[in-house]
Every structure is written in C-alpha cells, then in structure tokens.
Amino acid sequence: MKNIFTSSWFALTFAARTAPRTLGAVLLLQLVLAGFPAAQVWLVSALGRAIETRSAHTYVLAFCVALLIAGFLSLQDISSRLGDILRLNIAWMGRKTVDHKVSRLPPERLAHTETNKQVRQALEVVSNGNLSVQATAVTSVIFAVTVAISLFVSIVQFNVWTAMFTILALIPSLVVNFYCSRRLAEQWEQNNDYHRHANYLCEQMIYKEPATELALLDAREWFRAEAETYRDKVASLDRSVHTMYIRTELYNSLATIACFGLALLAFVRTDTLTAVDATATLVGISSGLFAIHNVGWSVGMLMQETTPLLMLQRFFNSPEAEPPLPVIETSEQLRVEKLFVTDILYDVNLTARQGQLIAIVGLNGAGKTTLVSALVGTRPIAAGTVTIDGHDITHASFAEKHRYFGMLPQDYSRFGLTVAQNLRLGGPGDPTEALRISGADAFVHDLDQQLGEQWGGVGLSGGQWQRLSLARLRLRNPGIWILDEPTSSIDAHGEMEIFAELRRISGNKIVIVVSHRASTLRMMDKIYFLSNGRITESGTFDELYAKGGEFTELFTSQIEGVAGAADPAGPVENEQPADLGNPSDSSDSSDSEG
Ligand SMILES: Nc1ncnc2c1ncn2[C@@H]1O[C@H](COP(=O)(O)OP(=O)(O)OP(=O)(O)O)[C@@H](O)[C@H]1O
C-alpha cells in the first residue's frame, strides 16, 4: 500500500512540475463533474415536484436539468481532451528527463550491467506512458471517490441501505482489478527482461555492423527465432493474467448484481418514497455508476504501475556525474603505485614522464584496457595510488580525474554526425590542424560533410574513423594521452605517420599506448609487460627483447615473420628484432641491423 502511495505521489508531483496548469484544470473539472450525479438527483427530484405542483419554477428547473445533462457530456469531453494533453506533456517531459539522466550517468556506472538494465527499463517506462497512466489514474480515483461520496450523501436522505449497497456495488470491481493488477505488477520485471532480450536481438539485426556480420554467418534466422521465444514468453505471461481477469470478472459481475439488487430492494421497500424521488434517485444512481464504473480499472492501474514507477523514481533520483572540469593541458609526471583492481589487476607500478611514449603490452585479457580505464576513472580502483604531479587522484571524482586525460578507446565510436560536429566533441580548437595531424585531411574535404550511412551520409573505413577519433583527441589536447590500440585499423604507412606525429606532440605530453604491434613498440621510450594482471617486465623494446622472457616469446613470431617476409632468403638468425620502426628514427635502424 505504501508503494502505491509513493509511486502515485511521484507521478502526481512529476505531472505538477511538468504541466501545473493542465493538471490543475483536469483536477478542477473532475471535481466539478463529480458533483453532477448528486446534483442530478436533487434537480430531477425538484423538477418532478415542480411539475406536480404546477410551480412557476418548472421551466427554470427543466432548463437546469437540460443544462446539467448537456454540460456533463461536454465537460467530460473537455476533461478527456485535457487528460490527453496532460499525458502527452508527461510523456514528453519523461523522455527528456531520461535523456538528461542518461547524459549525466557517472561513467564508472556505465560498466555495470545493472545500469544498462535500469536505463532500458526507464526508457521503456516513459515510452509506454506508465508515468502518465499513473498520474491520470490518480485523478480518476480522486474523481471516483468524490462522485461516490456525493452520491452517497444525495441517496442517504431517501434510504441509508440503498446508499450503502450502491457504494458497495463498486467494491467487487475494485477487488478484481487490484488482485489482477498485482499479478501484472509482479511479473513486470520478468516481462521487461524478456522484452529487453528480444529488443537486443532485434537491434543486432538492424545496426549495420552486427547485421552484416549476422547475414554473412547466415545467423539472422537464429536471432529472429530467439527473439520470438522471448516475445512468446511475454505474451504467454500476459495472456495468463488476462484470462484470469475474464474469469474473475464473472465473479465481479455476480457480486455487483447482488449489491445493486439489494440496493434496489431496500429502495423499493422505502415507505416514505414518492414516485418523483424514486425516479430522481434512479437517474442519479445510474449516471453516478456510469461515471465511476472504471474506478476499479483506475485502482488496478495504480497497482500495476507501482513497480515500474518506483524503478523510474530510483533512476531519476540516482546520483549524477559532476559537470566536466577544464582540461589540464600539461602534466609532468604520472605515477601508479601498488594498483589493484578487484580480480583483474594486482600490484601494478608504473611511472610516465612528460615527453615519454609509454607502452602497455600483454596477451589478450592481461588487463591492459582495465589498467587505462582505472587511470581515467571508468573502472573502480580497489587499492593503490595514482598521482599526477604529486596530486593523489586515486579516489577523486571522474570529472577531477578525467581533466588530466584524453583517451582513444579500443572500441572507438562511429558517430553519425557531420565532420565538424564529430570534431567539436573533442574541443573548440582548430579542426583543420587536428585533421592534418591525425592524417584525416586526406579524406575529409568538407567540415559540414555528413558521416554515417544511417543519415544518408558518407561511409568511412575503420581506419578513417580511427583517424577522426585521434583528431578529436588532439582537439581535447590533455596533458596525458591514452591510446588503446590507436592504429589497429590503420595501415602500416599511416601508422608510421601517426606515431611520428605523436613523437612530435609528446614533447610536452605523456603518451600511453596499449598495443599489440611490434612496429609500434619499437618507437616507445618504455614498455610495461602485463601478464595475468601483473607487470612482469619493463624496459625499452631492445632491453625486453634481449631478456628472452615473456615479451620475447610474445613478439618473436611477429618480428621474425615480418623480418622473414622482408628477407625471402630465409629466417632471421640474428636474435635482434628487425627494424619495423619509424623510418625517420635512424638510430633504431642501425641498432637492429647491427
Ligand atoms: N567488467 C568486467 N568485470 C569483470 N571482469 C572483466 C570486466 N571487463 C573485463 N574483465 C576481465 O578482465 C580481464 C582483463 O580484461 P581487459 O579488457 O583489461 O584485457 P586486455 O588486456 O585489454 O585484453 P585485449 O588485449 O583482448 O583487449 C579479462 O579476463 C576480462 O575477462
């Protein structure tokens, strides 16, 4: 019961904030309309008496009765239109509020499955109009209670039992709707999960990349069938409740007929009743019951919407991320000491200084992405410290941490915006220079060019999107750049160009690169080798390679493969790695050849 009040109050206050005048008008009209059945009893009875006594007021009263009946119908129409406007406003504001909350989700929460579930549920609740249903159900219940009270008061003067049984006739419908809606409310979470699964599977068949991959795998039929299974589960659950509704509706009808029959029995046995009063009361009862016949449905809705609305309320009240802080463009030193991330990273130590290119390498699943995510604040740190220029930022807010960093994630996004909009996400700097540095100027000729095929824009290759992401990072221009596989989609020539540029930029930056490419690693000042969440080796490429440890094992085939390809005469006998580095770096070349 408490939950019904809490969720109703939430819906009503949300409506009051969104459209106070419309809500006020709806409530006022409902209260006015609620008085109509009682007024009808009084006026019809007065008219009957006036006709009997040939009173001079007969015509005035007849006019009032006509006004009352016609007014009731037109005011009910206006009230229902106002209700529609209220619902539209609530749905519109509900969607905007969800958008706002989503844009303010603390990034560290994004990694949680629960957050994804909550966001999807919130979107579904506002899209389905649960919020507006609850708000209008509250006004309907207020209306119904007012009608019932005024009807009771107007009938009780003729016969108290008739008044009581008339009101009691509403109870069976209330009980049935309450009971069945509770069943629907209980299965809402389960239904929602099935919906989410089905929608996820359907989305995979819509979005270009997964849809194409599924088509190539001939797997779309499997996805369709799987989605159908979830949709069937939802339908079966819903069907069972609605069958129950029909069954219980039968009991409801019998109980209502019994109550109403008793009301009429008591009525016709009233000794003092005149024919005029009897007619007036019957007219009042029938219009009153007609007005409130759906009170059971409204109460059922209040019950049914409780679970989704409490969830929405929790989502609306969840903490928001702090607004972003200005970017810090230079940092002298980043120091990571004894860093632990639960079950993934253990005792990680790392130091990076301004002007250095640092690499983090390791096998798949070693913890590289987790490490850089912990640094920028999107993964929680269990223990250890991260300090930048002496400031301990280990437990600082995301906004405070992130101002030091710019990150090019491994799964960079392909935003279907114009080139200019894509770049502005990075920062307000000179887009032309950013495009040049990232090598994107070769394929971008117009900043207003629309990208992404879903908006009729230009399709870019993976490497071209990656260059745009780099251009964005350049515009953000933080003191510490973190690049997770920055050139994974870029050809060898492009990679050389980008790293030459990074080397130039890194004069006053700290650049940390996660990479699997030997060619990239040769350009690094220091490499940290991660194995099962621990740093097991560190040093320059040549130092690590000479050690003959895990690093050598991981990169030997890569290096020998390329060296072998470069020298068709046979495998490299020399233990030194082949020169895959920056062609401009002549010392490296001579080292490897030496
Ligand atoms: N959200 C998560 N919760 C729990 N474990 C996770 C989560 N994300 C990743 N992991 C696990 O943490 C380990 C490290 O993952 P991480 O993505 O950091 O590896 P990686 O070194 O970047 O791998 P790759 O080279 O394949 O990108 C993996 O075993 C992975 O399964």
Side-chain angles (χ1 to χ4, degrees), residues 111 343-344 362-371 379 410 484-485 514 516 530:
D343 295 334
I344 302 178
L363 292 171
N364 289 132
K368 305 178 291 295
T369 300
T370 306
L371 173 56
R379 285 299 285 267
Q410 191 173 18
D484 197 347
E485 295 286 352
V514 173
H516 286 115
L530 256 180

Side-chain angles (χ1 to χ4, degrees), residues 44 257 309 328 345 353 356 368 414 471 495 541 559 565 568:
V44 172
I257 290 169
L309 285 195
I328 293 177
L345 294 179
R353 294 194 181 78
Q356 280 188 325
K368 305 178 291 295
R414 302 167 182 219
E495 182 182 25
F541 186 96
I559 290 163

